[in-house]
Amino acid sequence: MDEQLIGTARENTNEFILNQLVDLYGDDLKRIAFLYVNDLAQCEDIIQEVFISCYKHLSSFRHESQYKTWLIRITINKCKDYQRKWSFRNLIYKPLMEPFIKTSHESTEKLYERSVGKNDVAQAISMLPAIYKDILILYYYQELTMEEISQVTKSKVNTVKSRLSRGRQYLKEILEREGTEHGSI
C-alpha cells in the first residue's frame, strides 16, 4: 500500500497524501493510542497531533521505512509524551467500559465477563513498562511481524523476541495478581 502512496507522492500534494494516510492508518493509530492512554478524548487529541506532525514533516520523509511504520513511531512518541505530563501521572486510572452490543445468543452475563476481561487486559498492558507495552501492542493489536516491530522500535529482532516473551510473562503476573486481589481473573 505504501508503494502506491510513494508513487502518488511525486504527483500529488501533501494534503492528498495526508488524506490517504488518515484513511489508511487512522483507525490503527487510534487503537494504539487508546491502549496507551485509555482515554478516548485524549486518544483523539494525540492522533490529531500525530497527523499535524506528519503534515509538517511529510516533505522531509526519506522513505527509509513505510509510512505506516513512521506513523506508528510518531504515535508511540506522542503517547509517551502525554504519559510524561504531570497531569497524567496524577490522575487515577479509570478504564472505559465498552458498550454492550448483543450480536450473538450470548447471555448478558457472558457479554459482561468478556467486556470486563478485555478491560482487565488493557489495564494490565497499561501497567507494563514502555519497552514491553510497545512490543505487545504492536504484536497483538497491530499484528506486525517481528521485523516490522524491529523497525518501529529501532531494536534488533532478537531484542524484540525477548521483550515479547518477558512482556507476556509480566502481563500474566499482573493479571494473576489483579485476579487474586479482586477474587478471580
Side-chain angles (χ1 to χ4, degrees), residues 87-129:
S87 60
F88 177 82
R89 288 187 301 223
N90 290 301
L91 291 176
I92 297 172
Y93 175 74
K94 294 181 182 177
L96 298 174
M97 290 294 289
E98 291 181 356
F100 288 69
I101 302 172
K102 195 166 184 174
T103 57
S104 66
H105 300 311
E106 287 183 293
S107 69
T108 304
E109 292 82 16
K110 291 243 186 237
L111 287 171
Y112 175 76
E113 287 173 10
R114 193 164 31 101
S115 175
V116 169
K118 287 180 183 178
N119 285 334
D120 289 346
V121 172
Q123 185 175 10
I125 288 173
S126 73
M127 297 165 74
L128 291 172

Side-chain angles (χ1 to χ4, degrees), residues 143-162:
E143 298 176 356
L144 296 182
T145 65
M146 295 289 179
E147 291 79 20
E148 291 171 327
I149 295 170
S150 173
Q151 287 179 340
V152 170
T153 60
K154 297 179 181 172
S155 304
K156 294 180 181 176
V157 174
N158 286 335
T159 303
V160 171
K161 289 178 183 178
S162 66

Side-chain angles (χ1 to χ4, degrees), residues 22-35:
V22 170
D23 289 344
L24 287 172
Y25 306 122
D27 290 338
D28 289 339
L29 299 176
K30 195 174 190 179
R31 277 190 281 284
I32 291 171
F34 184 78
L35 288 167

